[in-house]
Amino acid sequence: MPGEDELIEARREKLARLRSRGVDPFPPRVDRTHAAADAIAAFERWEQAGRAGQPPEVAVTGRIVALRDMGKASFIDLLDGSGRIQCYLKKDTIGADAYAGIADLDLADFLSVRGALFRTRTQQITVEARSYAVVAKALRPPPEKWHGVEDIETRFRQRYLDLMANEETRELFRRRAAIVARVRRFLDERGFIEVETPVLQPEAGGAAATPFVTHHRALDEDFYLRISLELHLKRLIVGGLDRVYELGRIFRNEGIDRTHVPEFTMIETYEAYADYNDVMRMVEEMVSTVARDVLGTTRVPFGEHVLELAPPWQRLTMRDALIEHAGIDFEEFRTRGKLLDELRRRGIDVDPGWSWGKLIDEAVSVYVEPRLQQPTFLLDYPKEISPLAKSKPGAEGIVERFEVFTAGFELGNAYSELNDAIDQRARFETQARLKAAGIEEVETLDEDFLTALEHGMPPTGGFGMGIDRLVMLLTGQTQMREVILFPQMRRRE
């Protein structure tokens, strides 16, 4: 069997022969009247109308995915973005010279075929070619004879091969586009306006995460790729835009696992005169609406479970969840030392420098999150790990925050936003002391944001959701990199 270098050389020789015959193998334009699916639909309409007049004539264009030589006739299957269509090229119809030129065609070439539609003896709708034209010559062979690309390294590193060979992958990313479009429409219909905020920021605020750093040559200053959309969007609430959202890329210089990548897509929404209860109702309605409109159902299979996304979703406080799933009532472990000893006694690997709130969060990640398969709002988080959220009345050290979980992973995060500028400054200063003590993932003090907050921000409900995780949920994918077209990969040697 010839190696890849030999196959490439053979294709280059065919390219040279095409050019020697005066054929431009990369013409500047192509005459196409129908996509494959549209051509098939046109013929079916002609049949349903009683076959009046001549059958439709079409010009279709696509990548060659099958080529069968029958001697004096050939069948060629073309694939475009809408689907696949068969073409019948007969020597007596297209002429001897044109038919001989088929020998210089290969799988993966792009071909334009013009002719009338008919049904073969096997009832397949087919274009009977009057003419054809090469519109792009492929110099490399396609993957695995179109049987599908299964190697994960190849699929992620050369996504175009995955898309070429796997219809399931093409459908996955069509569905992703539909999910994103429906999320936007849902928010637009509720009176939110879409905005854009800076990707390069002088302070990496709005989340506790490690940023990427870059240098701005014109300003001669270091900037950070944003780790959140939050602080700029809340500036807009201060300015009087009562309902805003942004759907954009976020960058966190952290690890990679099945639900984390350093570059991902997030949507954040901010609504004036709302609190986290209002946001909960919006979120369950938004996700269920997207599922129903894109998938046709709110019952979504995921692994061994079928998730019911129709409202209402379960509401569970963090305290009650730990009591239920771990037998830990954090009110009985109100000091960091007592809680640290209890978690170590249970064999949980914890950092001795972690705060009381961080220890609770770790206990939740171990005992609670894997058990939250059906959609669940986990409510009321420790203040220490939620410096941007408003304190919960009557609950010392607790804030009005929720994270929403389903299929065992976090889908989104929300607060009743802290709008007391004095309290916010004090919390930022606490975070700064933690950073000085060597804890990297803390909130950064942003003076410009504090200045904005001092101008007055109304009570506000904010929400952030990973779009990639939403797509995972609605398509049954267990790895985030499956739903990202071009995930980061270590450079090949």
Side-chain angles (χ1 to χ4, degrees):
M1 184 175 180
E4 185 177 51
D5 288 346
E6 294 173 86
L7 294 173
I8 292 172
E9 182 57 34
R11 285 170 177 256
R12 287 181 176 273
E13 291 172 0
K14 292 179 179 180
L15 176 69
R17 286 200 295 270
L18 288 170
R19 284 179 164 147
S20 71
R21 296 200 304 272
V23 174
D24 181 357
F26 303 101
R29 59 194 54 83
V30 60
D31 181 18
R32 183 172 81 148
T33 63
H34 293 72
D38 294 336
I40 291 169
F43 186 79
E44 290 172 339
R45 287 195 299 271
W46 177 75
E47 289 182 319
Q48 292 162 5
R51 295 173 173 264
Q54 296 298 312
E57 182 164 306
V58 299
V60 296
T61 301
R63 189 186 290 275
I64 298 175
V65 293
L67 202 165
R68 301 175 295 281
D69 182 6
M70 316 294 288
K72 294 185 178 181
S74 295
F75 286 96
I76 294 178
D77 288 3
L78 301 182
L79 180 70
D80 67 12
S82 71
R84 184 168 176 153
I85 191 166
Q86 178 174 267
C87 301
Y88 177 60
L89 288 79
K90 191 176 179 182
K91 183 177 181 179
D92 291 347
T93 304
I94 65 173
D97 289 344
Y99 192 79
I102 294 175
D104 289 330
L105 301 180
D106 288 298
L107 294 179
D109 291 353
F110 281 87
L111 197 69
S112 176
V113 176
R114 177 178 289 277
L117 293 162
F118 75 105
R119 280 193 188 270
T120 64
R121 284 182 299 219
T122 61
Q123 298 303 301
Q124 185 170 352
I125 296 173
T126 301
V127 182
E128 184 173 12
R130 284 196 297 103
S131 62
Y132 75 87
V134 178
V135 295
K137 180 70 179 170
L139 300 184
R140 289 179 179 270
E144 297 299 316
K145 299 183 180 179
W146 309 100
H147 292 162
V149 177
E150 296 181 358
D151 178 68
I152 290 177
E153 172 84 5
T154 300
R155 290 180 53 243
F156 292 166
R157 193 178 295 280
Q158 295 175 277
R159 181 66 86 180
Y160 50 89
L161 296 181
D162 186 20
L163 291 164
M164 283 167 56
N166 297 330
E167 170 59 27
E168 296 84 358
T169 303
R170 295 194 295 274
E171 179 57 29
L172 170 63
F173 286 101
R174 291 188 196 104
R175 187 155 287 180
R176 177 183 173 120
I179 290 167
V180 170
R182 189 62 185 95
V183 167
R184 279 191 161 110
R185 192 162 81 251
F186 176 90
L187 293 169
D188 293 343
E189 290 166 353
R190 291 175 72 97
F192 285 80
I193 64 170
E194 184 173 6
V195 298
E196 294 173 314
T197 62
V199 173
L200 292 176
Q201 301 182 353
E203 301 291 346
T210 304
F212 289 91
V213 185
T214 188
H215 189 73
H216 195 304
R217 291 174 63 185
L219 300 179
D220 193 23
E221 291 181 12
D222 284 343
F223 277 70
Y224 302 96
L225 296 180
R226 64 187 178 189
I227 60 173
S228 171
L229 308 171
E230 179 166 351
L231 300 187
H232 281 84
L233 291 177
K234 288 199 286 194
R235 287 169 168 88
L236 301 180
I237 297 291
V238 170
L241 300 180
D242 286 349
R243 293 184 177 186
V244 296
Y245 75 92
E246 182 173 8
L247 195 153
R249 301 293 270 183
I250 298 297
F251 309 87
R252 296 181 181 177
N253 198 356
E254 300 168 351
I256 297 174
D257 60 29
R258 75 181 191 92
T259 59
H260 294 86
V261 294
E263 179 186 359
F264 59 96
T265 303
M266 178 175 280
I267 188 163
E268 292 196 27
T269 71
Y270 291 85
E271 180 177 1
Y273 315 113
D275 67 3
Y276 77 151
N277 294 296
D278 301 305
V279 176
M280 273 184 269
R281 289 188 287 271
M282 182 191 76
V283 169
E284 62 189 3
E285 184 181 345
M286 176 169 63
V287 174
S288 61
T289 297
V290 172
R292 186 167 53 250
D293 288 359
V294 174
L295 307 180
T297 180
T298 59
R299 291 178 58 81
V300 177
F302 195 96
E304 300 175 353
H305 303 272
V306 175
L307 310 177
E308 177 52 80
L309 303 182
W313 294 358
Q314 179 180 215
R315 277 119 166 108
L316 185 64
T317 67
M318 181 180 272
R319 180 186 177 191
D320 289 342
L322 277 171
I323 291 172
E324 177 182 346
H325 296 294
I328 295 175
D329 182 351
F330 61 59
E331 291 295 343
E332 298 176 1
F333 298 91
R334 264 297 185 173
T335 67
R336 190 187 68 84
K338 286 181 66 176
L339 186 56
L340 179 67
D341 291 343
E342 175 63 17
L343 296 183
R344 282 179 164 174
R345 184 185 69 79
R346 290 167 173 257
I348 299 178
D349 184 19
V350 293
D351 189 314
W354 283 350
S355 68
W356 179 78
K358 175 63 176 172
L359 292 170
I360 290 176
D361 192 47
E362 182 66 15
V364 167
S365 70
V366 171
Y367 290 112
V368 178
E369 292 178 15
R371 294 175 171 83
L372 301 181
Q373 295 298 320
Q374 295 299 327
T376 302
F377 293 111
L378 198 61
L379 312 174
D380 301 343
Y381 276 60
K383 178 179 176 179
E384 293 169 313
I385 57 171
S386 311
L388 294 161
K390 185 171 288 190
S391 295
K392 186 176 180 66
E396 183 183 354
I398 301 299
V399 297
E400 291 192 352
R401 172 186 177 184
F402 73 74
E403 289 184 326
V404 57
F405 292 89
T406 187
F409 60 82
E410 178 199 340
L411 187 62
N413 183 29
Y415 316 138
S416 295
E417 300 292 340
L418 180 58
N419 59 342
D420 179 339
I422 295 173
D423 189 1
Q424 185 66 85
R425 178 178 292 279
R427 295 204 206 174
F428 277 159
E429 289 171 350
T430 297
Q431 295 285 297
R433 288 192 292 272
L434 292 173
K435 186 170 185 178
I439 298 175
E440 287 190 10
E441 293 189 356
V442 295
E443 289 282 356
T444 302
L445 194 152
D446 187 328
E447 281 290 351
D448 184 73
F449 171 69
L450 288 171
T451 299
L453 207 57
E454 288 169 354
H455 283 277
M457 186 177 83
T460 299
F463 174 65
M465 176 174 64
I467 288 292
D468 310 293
R469 292 187 183 183
L470 178 63
V471 175
M472 287 174 61
L473 173 69
L474 297 182
T475 59
Q477 300 295 323
T478 59
Q479 297 287 332
M480 186 182 287
R481 290 191 295 176
E482 290 285 358
V483 302
I484 296 173
L485 278 168
F486 299 103
Q488 293 92 0
M489 304 285 288
R490 181 175 282 109
R491 185 177 298 177
R492 281 189 172 132
E493 293 297 330

